[in-house]
């Protein structure tokens, strides 16, 4: 072998070693973040929101280690892959409906955080007209937003609002809303509806994002209060909002277990809604990588007697969030579905 051939072989070997070391660093980091997500302390809890990304990274590393014939690191990558797949796959397992009930819905909800600086009122109005929900909830609205929704008020004459950390939370309904909120410190909409003989309790909230220790504690306190409240209100019950907690947050798990509710996304998969910055920047021709970064923090929780027939994300409306659209079968006062 001549000098050129030996040099190429040395460089190829060096490149292989560097690439392998890079993937080792990546999988070790992936494992650390995957493990950190199980801890409840801030900022470790933030790591719980990115299970889908950890799964994807582990899969890429596993394939790479297979071709590198790095057996031990392949096993490590598979462990990280299984660690995350175990908490993702259950969200795709279909849930049973009522035994004799139809698959159509009798109640539709649209939830969207419109983003306080977004002024694309027309996109939200178009979404509501297209989806024709019975109830829609907007987070981070201001008075101009409320004024802009005036074209919809004939169809949604009932409105409740509450101030939250980034503006107002607004609930628009076809059906009368009875305001049940008594605690001014709990920034949430608490209401009762009578939907053509179907009594429904409603809790809508938007806790602060856990970007620092103070807001982390405030978010957790609001989720705990919402869970306690859900135990006290009459059923059927809906709990809706941008909760700033993903499906895998231990505090979201607490909310489910302590409230007795279940997530509407159960059986419909992981539905990431944030971030959606591409729409905010209005640069549709750029490569859109944000779907790879999105996490599921917008939620609709329902009490056991409510069946979820569909749950999906909606189109871009100029916000950093995608809308969440949920179709439900809500029983009447006698427990019948009609």
């Amino acid at each position: 072998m001549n000098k050129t051939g030996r040099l190429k072989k040395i460089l190829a070997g060096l490149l292989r070693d560097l690439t392998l070391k890079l993937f080792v660093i990546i999988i070790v980091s992936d494992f650390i973040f995957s493990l950190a997500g199980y801890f409840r302390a801030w900022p470790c809890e933030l790591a719980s929101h990115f299970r889908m990304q950890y799964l994807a990274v582990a899969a890429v590393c596993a394939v790479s280690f297979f071709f590198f014939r790095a057996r031990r690191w392949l096993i490590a990558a598979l462990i990280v892959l299984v660690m995350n797949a175990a908490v993702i796959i259950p969200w795709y397992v279909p849930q049973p409906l009522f035994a004799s009930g139809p698959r159509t819905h009798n109640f539709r909800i649209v939830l969207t955080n419109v983003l306080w600086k977004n002024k694309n009122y027309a996109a939200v109005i178009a979404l509501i007209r297209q989806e024709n929900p019975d109830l829609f909830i907007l987070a981070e609205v201001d008075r101009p937003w409320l004024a802009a929704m005036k074209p919809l008020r004939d169809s949604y004459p009932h409105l409740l609002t509450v101030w939250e950390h980034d503006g107002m939370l607004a609930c628009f309904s076809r059906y009368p809303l009875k305001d049940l909120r008594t605690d001014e410190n709990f920034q949430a909409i608490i209401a009762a509806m009578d939907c053509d003989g179907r009594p429904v309790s409603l809790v809508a909230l938007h806790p602060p994002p856990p970007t620092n220790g103070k807001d982390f504690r405030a978010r957790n306190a609001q989720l705990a209060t919402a869970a306690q409240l859900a135990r006290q209100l009459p059923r059927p019950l809906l709990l809706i909002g941008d909760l700033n907690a993903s499906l895998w947050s231990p505090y979201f798990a607490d909310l489910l277990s302590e409230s007795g509710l279940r997530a509407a996304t159960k059986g419909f998969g992981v539905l990431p809604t944030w971030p959606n910055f591409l729409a905010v920047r209005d640069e549709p021709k750029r490569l859109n990588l944000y779907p790879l970064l999105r996490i599921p923090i917008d939620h609709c929780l329902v009490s056991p007697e409510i069946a979820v027939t569909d749950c999906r994300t909606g189109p871009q409306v100029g916000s950093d969030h995608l809308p969440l659209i949920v179709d439900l079968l809500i029983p009447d006062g006698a427990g019948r579905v009609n």
Side-chain angles (χ1 to χ4, degrees):
M1 182 181 297
N2 57 30
K3 292 182 179 180
T4 303
R6 286 196 299 270
L7 180 59
K8 288 182 178 179
K9 185 176 180 180
I10 292 172
L11 290 176
L14 181 61
L15 179 62
R16 179 189 182 280
D17 291 343
L18 290 175
T19 305
L20 179 58
K21 287 179 180 179
L22 175 62
F23 278 107
V24 167
I25 292 172
I26 291 173
I27 197 59
V28 169
S29 301
D30 201 19
F31 172 74
I32 291 172
F33 281 102
S34 297
L35 187 62
Y38 288 101
F39 292 89
R40 304 175 68 90
W42 188 87
C44 292
E45 187 266 350
L46 296 178
S48 67
H49 306 324
F50 301 94
R51 296 291 178 190
M52 294 289 284
Q53 288 79 3
Y54 303 151
L55 177 69
V57 169
V60 171
C61 288
V63 172
S64 301
F65 291 135
F66 175 80
F67 284 107
F68 278 121
R69 298 182 181 180
R71 183 183 176 190
R72 292 181 179 178
W73 288 112
L74 171 60
I75 294 173
L78 292 176
I79 290 173
V80 178
L81 191 149
V82 170
M83 180 189 302
N84 290 286
V87 295
I88 292 173
I89 291 174
W91 292 100
Y92 290 87
V93 177
Q95 301 297 295
L97 292 173
F98 296 109
S100 58
R103 292 195 63 85
T104 57
H105 66 277
N106 59 16
F107 197 85
R108 174 171 288 176
I109 300 167
V110 171
L111 162 69
T112 186
N113 182 328
V114 299
L115 183 64
W116 61 271
K117 62 182 179 180
N118 173 29
K119 302 303 179 185
N120 196 350
Y121 310 126
V124 173
I125 292 174
L127 170 70
I128 299 305
R129 285 177 170 165
Q130 177 181 336
E131 297 298 336
N132 193 30
D134 298 279
L135 179 80
F136 70 93
I137 296 173
L138 307 181
E140 296 190 16
V141 300
D142 53 16
R143 298 195 186 282
W145 263 102
L146 295 180
M149 295 299 106
K150 186 176 180 180
L152 299 173
R153 293 306 305 278
D154 287 344
S155 299
Y156 301 92
H158 307 287
L159 170 65
L160 286 179
T161 62
V162 64
W163 287 100
E164 41 106 335
H165 60 95
D166 269 334
M168 280 187 284
L169 187 65
C171 178
F172 297 80
S173 174
R174 294 190 187 278
Y175 303 103
L177 294 169
K178 181 181 179 182
D179 192 352
L180 302 179
R181 188 166 59 98
T182 58
D183 184 358
E184 296 296 329
N185 294 320
F186 181 48
Q187 297 174 321
I189 291 171
I190 306 166
M193 293 183 291
D194 187 339
C195 310
D196 292 336
R198 299 187 302 274
V200 181
S201 298
L202 170 69
V203 179
L205 68 159
H206 180 209
T211 53
N212 56 59
K214 180 181 177 181
D215 287 343
F216 172 73
R217 291 186 293 272
R219 182 207 64 177
N220 298 341
Q222 285 201 30
L223 295 181
T225 301
Q228 184 180 20
L229 186 63
R231 284 289 186 185
Q232 299 169 355
L233 290 171
R235 308 294 178 96
L237 184 142
L238 306 172
L239 193 156
I240 309 165
D242 169 9
L243 302 184
N244 278 308
S246 74
L247 300 172
W248 308 289
S249 167
Y251 295 97
F252 184 76
D254 289 347
L255 174 61
L256 294 179
S257 61
E258 293 172 12
S259 67
L261 306 178
R262 76 179 189 280
T265 50
K266 189 77 170 179
F268 295 93
V270 176
L271 299 175
T273 55
W274 179 89
N276 189 43
F277 294 119
L278 189 73
V280 178
R281 293 173 183 173
D282 195 22
E283 298 172 348
K285 294 183 179 180
R286 289 187 57 181
L287 180 63
N288 188 356
L289 297 178
Y290 289 105
L292 302 178
L293 306 177
R294 288 182 190 144
I295 58 177
I297 62 173
D298 295 278
H299 303 282
C300 174
L301 310 185
V302 301
S303 52
E305 63 277 2
I306 298 176
V308 183
T309 62
D310 193 23
C311 189
R312 55 194 165 88
T313 54
Q316 297 177 353
V317 292
S319 173
D320 57 342
H321 287 249
L322 293 177
L324 185 69
I325 304 166
V326 186
D327 289 343
L328 305 173
L329 275 170
I330 301 178
D332 63 17
R336 299 183 298 262
V337 177
N338 49 50

